[in-house]
């Protein structure tokens, strides 16, 4: 019997490709650049499985271009790039890669938080520009982290991993998450509403999924509740924050700094944001370690294999 066909939309770690080839006839957009929409529409015509990325829009048009599709395996924990409802109506199984990227993403969140608090990136640029003329009592003052309060928006796997790290910094942890059963969250952490979290936290970190309810959740009104020493970190999805309102808050010193791994219209970043010294900007690398990306790719491969073999995949979302 011929092997079923899978299309992989970009170069991914080799162990996952090797594993896929055991089961599938593999086609790949063998590039580190995103596939174009036209290429993707043409590539999935005969595919029974699709291994795609968060940068690929898997909407109704794309799914209709793939009449034989049984599985969409997303190489990401977030799946807001996929029309889940339409996929479900077509009995297409959608899978993601939860769990394996939790700790890496929590680590990167802390890298951003600390970089913002202590002006690490600004300091590095200052030194490289030849502007360092010696120690100064007023030079590049940041804000302390130890024993402060962190507010976590979204207390799932990644939010909880960020909270665990905060304990090492002697921090008080506040959290907001309307979707989670409070019984599943440690009583050491204080559940609160979003307004109180914004007004009372020295550091705010976002770990919610992007849904219609969380789009622009952090808006001008909530930013106005934050204080001039507050640091906002977003490693979840850009559109959760109203970027125009955030730029204003950064420009007017309404908050101290923002650490952003994600952007509202990725990969476009407004010039006004690029111009802010009090923003640390990263190219969506929350899970980008060799170990984690390999685990994610292998999990995405196992998801697709399980669906095609008629068994339960490690992580299905519909
Ligand atoms: C990355 O942003 C992911 O959702 O895995």
């Amino acid at each position: 019997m011929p092997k079923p066909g899978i299309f992989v939309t970009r170069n991914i770690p080799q162990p996952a490709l090797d594993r896929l080839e055991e089961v599938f006839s593999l086609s790949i957009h063998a590039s580190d650049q995103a596939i174009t929409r036209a290429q993707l529409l043409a590539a999935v015509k005969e595919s029974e499985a699709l291994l795609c990325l968060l940068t690929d829009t898997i909407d109704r048009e794309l799914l209709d271009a793939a009449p034989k599709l049984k599985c969409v395996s997303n190489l990401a924990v977030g799946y807001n790039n996929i029309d889940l409802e339409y996929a479900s109506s077509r009995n297409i199984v959608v899978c993601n890669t939860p769990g394996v990227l939790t700790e890496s993403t929590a680590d990167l969140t802390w890298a951003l938080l600390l970089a913002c608090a202590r002006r690490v990136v600004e300091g590095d640029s200052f030194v490289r520009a030849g502007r360092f003329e010696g120690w100064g009592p007023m030079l590049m003052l940041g804000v302390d982290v130890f024993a402060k309060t962190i507010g976590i928006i979204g207390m799932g796997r990644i939010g909880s991993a960020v909270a665990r790290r905060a304990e090492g910094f002697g921090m008080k942890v506040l959290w907001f998450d309307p979707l989670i059963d409070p019984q599943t969250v440690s009583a050491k952490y204080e559940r609160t509403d979003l307004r109180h979290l914004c007004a009372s936290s020295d550091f705010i970190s976002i770990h919610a999924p992007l849904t219609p309810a969380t789009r622009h959740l952090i808006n001008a009104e909530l930013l106005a509740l934050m204080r001039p020493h507050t640091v906002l970190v977003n490693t979840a999805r850009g559109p959760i924050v109203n970027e125009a309102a955030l730029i204003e808050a950064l420009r007017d010193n309404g908050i101290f700094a923002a650490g952003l791994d994600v952007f509202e219209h990725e990969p476009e970043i407004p010039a006004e944001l690029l111009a802010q010294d009090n923003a640390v900007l990263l190219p969506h690398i929350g899970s980008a370690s060799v170990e984690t990306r390999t685990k994610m790719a292998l999990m995405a491969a196992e998801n697709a294999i399980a669906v095609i073999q008629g068994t339960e995949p490690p992580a299905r979302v519909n």
Side-chain angles (χ1 to χ4, degrees):
M1 245 187 40
K3 287 179 174 176
I6 188 164
F7 184 70
V8 178
T9 63
R10 192 116 43 116
N11 285 336
I12 62 170
Q14 190 60 40
L17 295 176
D18 294 344
R19 175 72 180 116
L20 285 171
E21 280 197 307
E22 290 171 17
V23 176
F24 287 103
S25 159
L26 175 79
S27 309
I28 179 168
H29 175 66
S31 165
D32 292 326
Q33 306 304 317
I35 191 167
T36 66
R37 179 77 179 168
Q39 285 171 320
L40 184 55
L41 283 166
V44 293
K45 274 199 168 65
E46 299 298 321
S47 307
E48 275 142 271
L50 173 65
L51 196 156
C52 59
L53 313 178
L54 59 89
T55 47
D56 302 316
T57 301
I58 310 301
D59 54 10
R60 180 185 276 254
E61 182 194 29
L62 193 286
L63 294 171
D64 281 345
K68 299 183 181 166
L69 207 59
K70 296 192 175 72
C71 176
V72 175
S73 181
N74 211 33
L75 184 79
V77 65
Y79 47 85
N80 52 289
N81 56 313
I82 301 169
D83 184 339
L84 199 59
E85 209 175 297
Y86 188 60
S88 301
S89 78
R90 287 256 323 266
N91 291 322
I92 296 170
V93 179
V94 176
C95 302
N96 67 341
T97 62
V100 290
L101 49 68
T102 300
E103 304 302 338
S104 307
T105 308
D107 285 347
L108 190 90
T109 300
W110 274 90
L112 278 172
L113 187 156
L114 290 165
C116 285
R118 299 305 302 273
R119 302 172 65 173
V120 171
V121 176
E122 215 184 325
D124 180 86
S125 305
F126 182 82
V127 171
R128 287 172 198 275
R131 295 171 60 200
F132 180 42
E133 290 171 357
W135 186 89
M138 300 304 285
L139 179 63
M140 223 159 261
L141 305 186
V143 291
D144 276 328
V145 176
F146 190 78
K148 294 286 187 70
T149 297
I150 183 168
I152 298 179
I153 299 171
M155 200 57 162
R157 283 175 295 259
I158 299 172
S160 301
V162 168
R164 279 200 307 280
R165 284 158 176 74
E167 290 180 42
F169 282 84
M171 295 174 100
K172 176 175 175 183
V173 177
L174 304 179
W175 65 276
F176 167 78
D177 190 333
L179 301 176
I180 220 150
D181 174 3
Q183 306 294 335
T184 63
V185 178
S186 166
K188 285 183 288 192
Y189 311 142
E190 190 181 314
R191 184 174 171 226
T192 185
D193 62 75
L194 197 50
R195 292 179 68 83
H196 180 254
L197 183 148
C198 289
S200 316
S201 302
D202 304 301
F203 297 89
I204 296 173
S205 193
I206 302 172
H207 302 286
L210 175 62
T211 64
T214 63
R215 185 173 292 274
H216 282 190
L217 182 69
I218 302 300
N219 54 19
E221 196 191 330
L222 289 180
L223 283 159
L225 293 175
M226 297 177 196
R227 294 166 296 169
H229 66 264
T230 302
V231 170
L232 176 68
V233 176
N234 189 5
T235 54
R237 285 291 182 269
I240 296 174
V241 177
N242 180 330
E243 213 162 64
L246 174 63
I247 291 167
E248 267 187 42
L250 287 167
R251 201 168 38 205
D252 302 346
N253 298 315
I255 64 171
F256 187 71
L260 306 174
D261 187 39
V262 289
F263 303 91
E264 194 167 347
H265 303 288
E266 231 167 278
E268 277 147 43
I269 302 176
E272 296 89 334
L273 185 53
L274 293 171
Q276 286 302 132
D277 282 343
N278 55 353
V280 177
L281 312 175
L282 294 180
H284 203 151
I285 54 170
S287 62
S289 71
V290 175
E291 300 96 312
T292 294
R293 284 288 161 81
T294 303
K295 285 185 203 156
M296 288 167 70
L298 281 169
M299 188 171 190
E302 293 304 338
N303 277 331
I305 289 168
V307 174
I308 289 302
Q309 293 183 336
T311 58
E312 191 54 28
R316 67 186 285 165
V317 294
N318 64 347

